[in-house]
Amino acid sequence: MMPILPGKYLTATSIFLLFTSIILAIPLCAQQGRGMLFNDGWRFHKGDVAGAEKPTTTDASWRALSLPHDWGVEGPFSEEWASGTGYLPAGIGWYRKTFHLVPTQQNKRLYLYFDGVYKNSDVWINGQHLGKRPNGYASFYYDITPHLNKQGENVVAVKVDHTDFGDSRWYSGSGINRNVYLLTLAPVHIGVWGIAFTTPEVSATRARARLAVHVENQTKKPAAVRVTAQLVDAAGKTVSRGEGSGHVVVTGGDVTMNLDVDKPELWSPETPTLYTLRTTLSVDGKETETVTEAVGFRSFRFDAAKGFFLNDRNVKLKGLCIHDDAGALGSAVPADVWERRLRLFKAMGCNAIRMSHNPHQDYLYDLCDKLGLIVQDEAFDEWEVSKNKWIKGWNVGEPGKDGYSKNFAEWADRDVRDMILRNRNRTCILMWSIGNEIDYPNDPYTDEILNTGRNPQIYGKGYQAGNPPARRLGEIAAHLAGVVKQYDTTRPVTAALAGVVMSNLTTYPEALDLVGYNYQEYRYADDHDQHPHRIIYGSENSKGYDAWEAVVKNDFIAGQFLWTGIDFLGEARAWPVRGSGAGLVDLAGFPKPEYYYRKSLWTDEPVIYLAAAKISHEGARRQGGGAAAHWNWTAGDSLTVLGYTNADEAELVINDRLVSRKPLLESEQKIIRWKVAYQPGTATLVAYTKGKETGRYTLQTAGAASQLTVTVDRAILSAARREVAHIVVEVTDAAGNVVPSSEHEISCRLEGPARLIGLESGDLASHEDYKGNNRKAFCGKWLGYIQAENPGSVKVILSAPGLNEAEVVLMLK
C-alpha cells in the first residue's frame, strides 16, 4: 500500500512548531463492516511441536482458550529466568484455530490482523506460510484469501518463539497477547490503515480537514470509485460532508476531499470531545462499505522559549510513563483494567502518557482519546546494538545481550512505518519517539568525553574503545526521523536522551524536532542558553519536587513524564523481588502516598492526605519507600509524619492533642513534616486555606483482624464484551479499619458464568501462583479480576481462615 502523505512539515529550525490534526480513534473491531474479533476457539500448546503448521496435525489434546493470552505470567516464578523480565518463563508456544467461511465471506477478501504477538511469530493458513514478524509489539496483517478453503475447514497456525527469555529490560509476556481480528472486505475496498485525516486549519471558529482515502483494487480491471464522508457530532447532527471520486487502477489509488466545520468543539484533557466520521465507498455506482470512526479536532505547537501549547493555550505536560503489563494478568490485559488505571491517573492531575518503550494495545489509545490523555508513542528501546539485559538482578553479574537489535537492520523501517500507519490518526498522539535512552553512556554507545567527568550516572565507566562510536546516534536518528516523516508530517519526532553530555557532541539532537531529557534537569538552563532553538522537555523524570520545580520555573520546558505511573513486572532487583516499585500506584491499582503528593502538586482540587514512616526506614521495600498510610506502629517508634496538601497550611493532631500548625510554603518540597513518637489512637491532618478549615484526614489504629470487607467497581457486566469487574477485598477490624499487617490468605470461589482471570496484592516479593484462586493479602488488601463469559448471575464468595465469609453478586447481561 502506498502511503498517503499529509502536507509539509514545519521543522524544528523554526522556534515555533505548529501541528494540527483530526484523528481516528476506534479499533478495527468497531469499524462498521470491517470485520470481527477472532479471539475465541483457539488451542494452545506450550513447547515446540513438529509439523504443527500442517492442517492434518491433531490438536485435540491441546488446551482450549480465548485470546489474548500470555503464557509467561502463568509461571511459575523461578530464579532460573531473568530478573529483567520478572523471573517468569518464556520459550516456544503454538496456537491453532479452525474455522469455516460463512456465506457473507464468500467472494470477499479476508485479512488476518494481529494487534501484537510476542514474539518472532510465524503464521500459516492451511499449511501456507504467510510471514514472520520478529517485533513482539508490532501490529501486522496478512491477506489469507488465496489460501482459503471456501467450502471446507480452514486452519490457522501460529508459532511464537520467545526462547531468548532475557531479551528485555521489563516484562513483555509470551504469546498472542493482544487482539486478533478477521477482516472481511470487498475486492475493491478502503485499505487497512488506509484513511488519513489531517487538518491544515484548526481554531475555535473554524476547522478545515483534509481526508485522504487509499482504495485498494484486487480485481483484474480498473474500477470507478466514489468516496463520501460525513462528520457527525455527539448529538447526532451532521456538521460536514465531503465527496471525492476517481478511477482506481488495478493496484489502487487515493481519493481526497476537504471537510469544513464551523465552530468545532476542540479536544483537550479537560474536554475530550470526539466526533463520528463515516466514510463510505461506492464502486461502479454501488455502495460497498462504510467505515465508522471516532475523530477529534485539536491544534498544538511546541515553542523553544515558551513550551507547549494546546488549542493556543499554554499547558504543562503532566505525564506518566507506563509499561503494558498488569501484574497478575501479564501483558494480556482487558481494556477495563487499563481504563480503571487511566481514570486513576486523570484524577491525580495527569494529562499525558508516554507509551514506554514500544507501541501498546490498540484499545489503550482509544481510552486515551476518550479520557483526554495526550500520548507520546514510542518505537524502540534499542537500535543496532543491544543494551544490557540483567539476568540476576539490576546491575548484578553479567548482563545478557539478546533483544531487538538483532532485527533492527532488517525490520526497523517497517516497524516504524507500521506504528505510524496504525496510529497516525488518533487524537491523543502528539509526538512520535524513535528511541529511549539509546545514548546511555556505554550502553552501548561511547565517546571520549566520558573520560572527563567523575559522576558515573552521567559519564558511565569512561570511554570504552570497543563500544560503537556516539556519532552513530545522529546518523541513525536522522534516518529514522526521515522514515517517520514519510508517513506523518503532522507530529514532531522525538527521542528520550539519557546521555546529553555525549549526544550534544553528535548530530543526534539536531535530527529531532523535540529533544527529551531523561533525569537531566541540571542541564536545562545551560542547554537552553547554548541551543536556544532546541525544544526541550522532560521525557523521563524522578518523582521528587526538584524535577517538577524545574518545569514550573522554566517557561521553555514543556513538561515532564514521571517514572512510572504504576508498578510493573521486570526491571527487578535481585530475587525474590520480581518487579519494579517505581510507580505512584502499585500492581493492584492501589495508590501509594506518593500518588496523593503528586495530586497536591498537579491539581487545584483540595488534597488532604496523611502518611507516616519510621525514621529508620525499616521495611522500605514492602511499604513503598518507607511511607505508609496507616497508624499501626510499635509504641515508642520514632516517626516522620507527612502531610500532603495544597492548602495554605495544616496542623497535625494526635489523640486530640495539637502537635503543631505549619505553613505549606515553608515546608521542604511542599510536604509538611512532623517528627513524633508513635502513640496508638488517631492522627489527623487538618488543612486551612485563608484561615478557614478546608478538610481533614484521619488515620486510626486498627485492632485485630475481624472481617473481610468487599467492594466492587461494577455489579452489572456485559457478557458480550467480556467486561471485567474489580473485586477489592480488605481485611478490617470490627470498626472497619484496614489491618495493615494482615497477610491472611484469601480464597475466591465463583458460582455462575464468569471466570477469575487473576489475583493481585501488589506485593513485589510474592511468588504465589497468579492463576490460582487464593492469595495472601498485602498491607491488608487484595484485588481480584472477574471476567464475564455468558449472561446470568454470578456469586463471588470470599473467605479467609478465622474470618467471616463474604460475598458479592454480579449480573451478567
Side-chain angles (χ1 to χ4, degrees), residues 85-111:
T85 52
Y87 296 109
L88 283 164
I92 292 176
W94 278 90
Y95 297 83
R96 284 166 57 98
K97 175 169 175 157
T98 300
F99 70 102
H100 293 77
L101 299 188
V102 297
T104 56
Q105 293 171 330
Q106 300 289 340
N107 302 316
K108 296 293 181 70
R109 305 298 299 193
L110 268 64
Y111 291 82

Side-chain angles (χ1 to χ4, degrees), residues 347-348 595-609 644-649 664 685 687-689 692-697:
M348 185 190 67
Y595 172 94
Y596 297 96
Y597 173 45
R598 186 57 43 175
K599 185 174 183 177
S600 74
L601 298 176
W602 278 2
T603 72
D604 295 326
E605 177 187 336
V607 176
I608 308 161
Y609 195 78
Y644 304 114
T645 185
N646 48 16
D648 293 342
E649 53 186 346
L664 181 66
L685 183 71
Y688 297 88
T689 296
K692 294 184 178 181
E693 181 179 331
T694 55
R696 55 180 60 204
Y697 186 89

Side-chain angles (χ1 to χ4, degrees), residues 230-297:
Q230 292 178 284
L231 199 61
V232 181
D233 66 16
K237 179 184 176 182
T238 298
V239 298
S240 186
R241 299 176 187 270
E243 181 175 327
S245 60
H247 192 67
V248 180
V249 297
V250 174
T251 56
D254 294 345
V255 177
T256 61
M257 68 190 73
N258 292 327
L259 292 171
D260 293 326
V261 180
D262 292 328
K263 297 181 180 179
E265 296 186 60
L266 303 184
W267 182 94
S268 71
E270 296 77 23
T271 57
T273 303
L274 297 171
Y275 291 77
T276 299
L277 173 70
R278 296 195 183 105
T279 305
T280 299
L281 174 67
S282 297
V283 180
D284 296 329
K286 181 180 179 181
E287 289 188 6
T288 58
E289 67 173 340
T290 297
V291 179
T292 302
E293 303 171 290
V295 301
F297 294 93

Side-chain angles (χ1 to χ4, degrees), residues 634-704:
T634 301
D637 276 351
S638 296
L639 300 181
T640 298
V641 179
L642 304 101
Y644 304 114
T645 185
N646 48 16
D648 293 342
E649 53 186 346
E651 63 185 23
L652 177 65
V653 178
I654 296 179
N655 294 333
D656 297 324
R657 181 182 64 83
L658 175 65
V659 177
S660 69
R661 185 162 166 173
K662 297 184 177 183
L664 181 66
L665 288 179
E666 295 179 10
S667 65
E668 182 183 356
Q669 296 192 330
K670 291 196 174 181
I671 302 173
I672 304 177
R673 294 174 172 85
W674 294 267
K675 292 185 178 181
V676 303
Y678 172 69
Q679 305 169 31
T682 60
T684 300
L685 183 71
V686 185
Y688 297 88
T689 296
K690 296 181 179 180
K692 294 184 178 181
E693 181 179 331
T694 55
R696 55 180 60 204
Y697 186 89
T698 298
L699 298 176
Q700 182 168 333
T701 303

Side-chain angles (χ1 to χ4, degrees), residues 81-322:
W81 304 111
S83 63
T85 52
Y87 296 109
L88 283 164
I92 292 176
W94 278 90
Y95 297 83
R96 284 166 57 98
K97 175 169 175 157
T98 300
F99 70 102
H100 293 77
L101 299 188
V102 297
T104 56
Q105 293 171 330
Q106 300 289 340
N107 302 316
K108 296 293 181 70
R109 305 298 299 193
L110 268 64
Y111 291 82
L112 194 56
Y113 182 109
F114 295 86
D115 191 46
V117 181
Y118 203 93
K119 66 175 192 176
N120 290 320
S121 65
D122 280 281
V123 183
W124 291 262
I125 179 75
N126 296 328
Q128 297 294 318
H129 187 246
L130 299 173
K132 184 180 186 69
R133 197 61 180 247
N135 190 329
Y137 302 110
S139 298
F140 56 95
Y141 57 90
Y142 300 113
D143 183 352
I144 62 176
T145 314
H147 314 297
L148 289 172
N149 297 319
K150 293 187 176 182
Q151 303 302 324
E153 190 174 79
N154 294 282
V155 179
V156 177
V158 182
K159 180 182 180 181
V160 182
D161 187 346
H162 190 191
T163 51
D164 53 350
F165 61 90
D167 64 325
S168 175
R169 299 190 300 121
W170 61 90
Y171 181 76
S172 61
S174 298
I176 307 180
N177 56 355
R178 298 185 183 178
N179 286 326
V180 179
Y181 305 93
L182 184 64
L183 309 184
T184 303
L185 308 178
V188 180
H189 58 265
I190 296 172
V192 181
W193 302 335
I195 297 176
F197 220 100
T198 59
T199 54
E201 301 175 31
V202 171
S203 71
T205 57
R206 178 180 170 82
R208 164 158 285 186
R210 181 73 171 169
L211 176 65
V213 181
H214 184 76
V215 179
E216 293 191 357
N217 183 1
Q218 293 177 322
T219 69
K220 295 182 178 180
K221 59 181 181 179
V225 302
R226 181 169 61 94
V227 177
T228 59
Q230 292 178 284
L231 199 61
V232 181
D233 66 16
K237 179 184 176 182
T238 298
V239 298
S240 186
R241 299 176 187 270
E243 181 175 327
S245 60
H247 192 67
V248 180
V249 297
V250 174
T251 56
D254 294 345
V255 177
T256 61
M257 68 190 73
N258 292 327
L259 292 171
D260 293 326
V261 180
D262 292 328
K263 297 181 180 179
E265 296 186 60
L266 303 184
W267 182 94
S268 71
E270 296 77 23
T271 57
T273 303
L274 297 171
Y275 291 77
T276 299
L277 173 70
R278 296 195 183 105
T279 305
T280 299
L281 174 67
S282 297
V283 180
D284 296 329
K286 181 180 179 181
E287 289 188 6
T288 58
E289 67 173 340
T290 297
V291 179
T292 302
E293 303 171 290
V295 301
F297 294 93
R298 81 285 186 273
S299 66
F300 67 97
R301 67 182 187 270
F302 289 87
D303 184 308
K306 295 296 183 181
F308 172 66
F309 290 79
L310 180 66
N311 300 327
D312 293 323
R313 183 171 64 91
N314 195 212
V315 175
K316 292 293 189 183
L317 294 172
K318 301 172 182 177
L320 301 174
C321 302
I322 61 171

Side-chain angles (χ1 to χ4, degrees), residues 62-85:
W62 292 19
R63 174 181 164 193
L65 54 72
S66 294
L67 304 176
H69 172 242
D70 171 12
W71 82 70
V73 80
E74 296 170 358
F77 292 99
S78 173
E79 201 170 357
E80 70 178 290
W81 304 111
S83 63
T85 52

Side-chain angles (χ1 to χ4, degrees), residues 64 136-137 170 237 244 287 327 378 396 403 491 494 551 620 691 717 746 803:
Y137 302 110
W170 61 90
K237 179 184 176 182
E287 289 188 6
E378 193 156 63
V396 175
R491 297 177 182 84
T494 187
V551 176
L717 306 176
I746 304 169
L803 303 179

